[in-house]
């Protein structure tokens, strides 16, 4: 079987992780510009001031992506580049940069797939309460509308938000991302609800503008599976899926929050303030959702937690995504298992868990169109005589594309796959050492680029439309 012709093979990035030029051409400060400079927050104090200088080298990067044969490039817009204070006057230089980037993609026939929010809120709005402040929702819709009007003639694929679970969980439960708050469930649920409303209103605005493209949201896809058949562990897995998936997928797809979670929020006094108008907006938007994006890296192996939960700020090591942590509410625990394979960074490698999760998703949510907006291997690549021999990454992508092929055979509505990431880039909490790219960036040598083995392998796979997988 070949992958269908309308299936997009792409790769992805995010503004803060690649652009650099943090204070160039009128860009305002973002929360990450500030947070990454607080001692101890990031790996060896790394930040995105320069990142991989995509802002200045985007032409070279897009050319290399074209050489790989990428059909689509997913990137994000930095809100503070468009609106330095998050609201008010538009920074024309910011519009110009993204306009040029889009044109450069189109020059090679690469479809731009644009994320409006990949975690970098303008610092001025963060200081006004960030996602806890409902006025920020208005500002977001305004920012999105500016982007639709400026780029919507050429961009026909939009993602409102990237991984709300990750930025809100890290920002309000673990203290590992800005605004660096921890153990504040009430704030976490209020922020996630406000983001759901921002997504809904932005989607409705987009439809109102009649630009005839598609719009969706990308979420963490990390299906929880019980370690065994014990009832208490199966309940732990159910609970994890309700909080980590249903709390996000339900409003976007079904237009309402899951009852199971709502009951627990009520019992614990964690219920966010939700107005009738917001409920209606969420419901209405769900009817027009075009697709859901999944960022899949690993499943979660869980069991009922019996340990006491310590109410404290998590260390960076506890927040980098490897299993071994207790959930925020103390209900379940994720664990490493002896019979599973793990990456150098301790993330499970499970193409089977991916396929299994996709099947379960279809059972629950039906035929929703899906893009895999991120999937990839974080590693420290082997370099031999200047060649980047990232064999493990080839194997990783190959195995996950096989799962997708099988899923398509089973009529799961998958329409695209984006390798995380196009070029090597900044990992939020792991610095530049943790590489994901199809294109190598040499930090010892002027940030020189070079296509890796995985890039060449991906090129061939795209040319064959995956027939030989
Ligand atoms: C996702 C984010 C990406 C990226 C990726 C890899 O959660 O959307 O921005 O960072 O994870 O994560 P990490 O860099 O922590 O390995």
């Amino acid at each position: 079987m070949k992958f269908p012709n309308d299936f997009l093979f792409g790769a992805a990035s995010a503004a803060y992780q690649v652009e650099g030029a943090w204070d160039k051409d009128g860009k305002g400060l973002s929360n990450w510009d500030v947070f990454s400079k607080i001692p101890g927050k990031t790996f060896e104090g790394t930040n995105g001031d320069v990142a991989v200088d995509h802002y200045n080298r985007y032409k070279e990067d897009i050319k290399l992506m074209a050489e790989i044969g990428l059909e689509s490039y997913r990137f994000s817009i930095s809100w503070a580049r468009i609106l330095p204070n998050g609201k008010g006057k538009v920074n024309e230089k910011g519009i110009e940069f993204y306009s040029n980037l889009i044109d450069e993609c189109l020059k090679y026939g690469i479809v731009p797939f644009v994320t409006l929010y990949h975690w970098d809120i303008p610092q001025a709005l963060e200081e006004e309460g960030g996602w806890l402040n409902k006025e920020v929702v208005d500002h977001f819709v305004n920012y999105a509308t500016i982007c639709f009007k400026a780029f919507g003639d050429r961009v026909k694929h939009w993602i409102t938000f990237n991984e709300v679970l990750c930025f809100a969980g890290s920002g309000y439960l673990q203290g590992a991302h800005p605004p660096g708050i921890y153990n504040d469930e009430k704030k976490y649920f209020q922020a996630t609800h406000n983001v759901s409303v921002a997504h809904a209103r932005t989607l409705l605005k987009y439809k109102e503008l009649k630009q005839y493209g598609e719009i969706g949201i990308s979420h963490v896809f990390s299906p929880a599976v019980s370690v065994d058949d014990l009832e208490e562990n199966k309940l732990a897995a159910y609970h994890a899926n309700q909080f980590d998936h249903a709390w996000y997928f339900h409003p976007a797809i079904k237009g309402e929050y899951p009852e199971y979670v709502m009951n627990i929020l009520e019992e614990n006094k964690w219920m966010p303030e939700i107005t009738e108008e917001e409920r209606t907006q969420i419901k209405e938007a769900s009817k027009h959702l075009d697709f859901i994006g999944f960022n899949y890296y690993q499943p979660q192996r869980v069991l009922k937690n019996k340990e006491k939960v310590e109410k404290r700020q998590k260390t960076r090591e506890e927040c980098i995504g490897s299993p071994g942590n207790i959930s925020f509410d103390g209900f379940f625990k994720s664990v490493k298992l002896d019979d599973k394979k793990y990456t150098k960074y301790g993330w499970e490698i499970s193409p089977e868990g991916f396929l299994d999760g996709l099947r379960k998703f279809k059972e629950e949510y039906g035929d929703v169109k899906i893009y895999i907006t991120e999937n990839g291997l974080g590693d420290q690549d082997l370099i031999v005589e200047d060649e980047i021999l990232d064999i493990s990454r080839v194997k990783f992508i190959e195995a996950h594309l096989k799962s997708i092929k099988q899923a398509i055979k089973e009529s799961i509505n998958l329409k695209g796959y984006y390798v995380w990431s196009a070029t090597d880039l900044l990992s939020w909490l792991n610095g530049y050492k943790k590489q994901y790219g199809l294109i190598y960036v040499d930090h010892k040598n002027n940030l020189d680029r070079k296509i890796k083995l995985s890039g060449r392998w991906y090129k061939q796979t795209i040319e064959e439309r995956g027939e030989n997988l």
Side-chain angles (χ1 to χ4, degrees):
M1 183 197 113
K2 286 187 179 182
F3 279 71
N5 283 333
D6 64 347
F7 183 94
L8 289 171
F9 286 101
S13 75
Y16 186 71
Q17 298 177 277
V18 293
E19 286 179 5
W22 69 290
D23 60 349
K24 284 266 174 63
D25 295 337
K27 177 179 165 291
L29 278 182
S30 80
N31 57 343
W32 272 94
D33 290 323
V34 176
F35 186 79
S36 61
K37 313 251 163 74
I38 303 171
K41 291 294 183 194
T42 64
F43 177 75
E44 293 177 350
T46 38
N47 63 50
D49 284 4
V50 178
V52 297
D53 200 25
H54 188 56
Y55 187 78
N56 294 305
R57 301 189 188 209
Y58 71 92
K59 286 192 179 167
E60 183 187 347
D61 289 340
I62 305 295
K63 190 161 182 263
L64 289 167
M65 291 181 211
E67 262 178 51
I68 293 175
L70 290 192
E71 297 175 330
S72 181
Y73 175 38
R74 172 185 175 224
F75 58 87
S76 80
I77 294 180
S78 157
W79 184 349
R81 231 184 250 297
I82 303 291
L83 293 154
N85 293 312
K87 55 187 166 183
K89 205 169 166 301
V90 172
N91 174 32
E92 290 305 329
K93 284 271 183 197
I95 300 276
E96 194 184 310
F97 169 68
Y98 292 108
S99 194
N100 289 341
L101 175 61
I102 291 161
D103 287 346
E104 200 64 19
C105 289
L106 294 174
K107 182 168 126 190
Y108 296 100
I110 296 175
V111 175
F113 212 113
V114 177
T115 312
L116 288 162
Y117 188 83
H118 202 125
W119 307 354
D120 48 349
I121 192 173
Q123 178 65 13
L125 294 185
E126 185 79 283
E127 284 168 17
E128 287 177 22
W131 290 110
L132 296 172
N133 179 353
K134 292 197 180 208
E135 280 174 23
V136 167
V137 176
D138 298 330
H139 300 316
F140 183 79
V141 180
N142 173 52
Y143 150 67
T145 308
I146 292 168
C147 294
F148 296 149
K149 290 186 176 161
F151 314 124
D153 55 340
R154 290 155 292 156
V155 174
K156 296 295 170 192
H157 307 268
W158 295 94
I159 295 166
T160 53
F161 288 89
N162 180 71
E163 295 194 3
V164 188
L165 169 71
C166 194
F167 76 80
S170 307
Y172 299 100
L173 295 174
Q174 300 178 329
H177 281 200
I181 294 168
Y182 53 97
N183 290 138
D184 200 326
E185 294 86 358
K186 181 94 184 146
K187 285 193 175 136
Y188 168 75
F189 287 105
Q190 188 64 58
T192 57
H193 166 67
N194 292 349
V195 172
S196 274
V197 176
H199 157 78
R201 287 182 46 200
T202 302
L203 187 149
L204 292 171
K205 183 76 201 174
Y206 183 68
K207 295 293 164 185
E208 187 190 307
L209 292 173
K210 294 205 186 313
Q211 295 196 335
Y212 303 106
E214 53 173 11
I215 185 161
I217 185 163
S218 282
H219 281 311
V220 173
F221 188 59
S222 184
V225 185
S226 169
V227 292
D228 56 24
D229 279 337
L230 275 183
E231 281 314 314
E232 60 175 17
N233 293 338
K234 287 204 282 192
L235 177 62
Y238 177 79
H239 184 94
N241 283 323
Q242 285 290 310
F243 276 85
D244 293 355
H245 282 180
W247 179 250
Y248 297 100
F249 299 171
H250 267 49
I253 301 169
K254 301 186 178 188
E256 50 200 45
Y257 289 114
E259 220 184 290
Y260 177 86
V261 178
M262 288 298 257
N263 289 337
I264 294 174
L265 299 194
E266 198 67 70
E267 276 164 33
N268 288 284
K269 304 203 164 29
W270 295 337
M271 186 61 86
E273 185 199 308
I274 306 176
T275 67
E276 263 325 296
E277 191 188 15
E278 290 168 346
R279 264 182 223 279
T280 314
Q281 288 160 340
I282 290 176
K283 187 87 211 170
E284 198 47 34
S286 71
K287 296 179 193 156
H288 302 279
L289 180 83
D290 293 306
F291 66 85
I292 188 108
F294 284 161
N295 294 353
Y296 176 79
Y297 290 89
Q298 58 178 341
Q300 304 182 65
R301 309 287 168 189
V302 304
L303 47 89
K304 174 106 185 82
N305 171 53
K306 291 177 179 160
E307 291 167 45
K308 205 172 159 292
V309 196
E310 294 168 69
K311 291 278 178 194
R312 59 170 173 81
Q313 180 156 21
K314 300 280 182 296
T315 62
R316 193 186 63 84
E317 285 70 24
E318 288 169 305
C319 301
I320 57 172
S322 30
N325 293 313
I326 299 172
S327 65
F328 77 92
D329 58 354
F331 198 89
F332 66 93
K333 215 171 127 172
S334 69
V335 287
K336 273 194 176 176
L337 298 176
D338 290 343
D339 63 339
K340 305 292 175 206
K341 283 204 317 205
Y342 294 87
T343 71
K344 238 175 243 166
Y345 283 83
W347 292 19
E348 189 185 332
I349 302 178
S350 181
E352 312 77 36
F354 184 28
L355 181 56
D356 189 50
L358 289 169
R359 287 175 178 147
K360 293 205 175 103
F361 175 83
K362 189 181 174 178
E363 264 168 46
E364 164 101 52
Y365 297 97
D367 249 349
V368 190
K369 187 203 264 199
I370 306 165
Y371 288 99
I372 303 306
T373 43
E374 284 180 31
N375 174 244
L377 175 70
D379 206 354
Q380 290 172 23
D381 297 338
L382 174 71
I383 305 182
V384 181
E385 295 189 11
D386 287 342
E387 291 300 324
I388 299 88
L389 302 179
D390 54 341
I391 302 165
S392 328
R393 183 165 299 108
V394 171
K395 300 254 177 256
F396 184 96
I397 299 171
E398 182 179 38
H400 288 81
L401 277 175
K402 280 185 184 166
S403 291
I404 294 183
K405 198 172 187 179
Q406 180 57 34
I408 293 174
K409 282 187 191 154
E410 295 174 20
S411 302
I412 294 172
N413 194 7
L414 277 155
K415 289 294 175 200
Y417 173 81
Y418 291 77
V419 173
W420 184 267
S421 48
T423 65
D424 283 340
L425 40 68
L426 173 68
S427 166
W428 305 93
L429 301 181
N430 304 283
Y432 294 95
K433 274 201 177 141
K434 190 177 188 185
Q435 298 162 279
Y436 277 97
L438 298 169
I439 299 165
Y440 173 65
V441 175
D442 190 348
H443 285 267
K444 292 201 189 88
N445 198 8
N446 192 35
L447 301 178
D448 277 359
R449 276 49 172 167
K450 185 163 190 173
I451 294 178
K452 301 182 188 178
L453 179 69
S454 59
R456 294 199 296 272
W457 174 87
Y458 199 40
K459 179 184 174 68
Q460 190 180 343
T461 304
I462 297 170
E463 274 167 15
E464 299 167 352
R465 296 216 65 74
E467 193 171 14
N468 295 319
L469 288 171

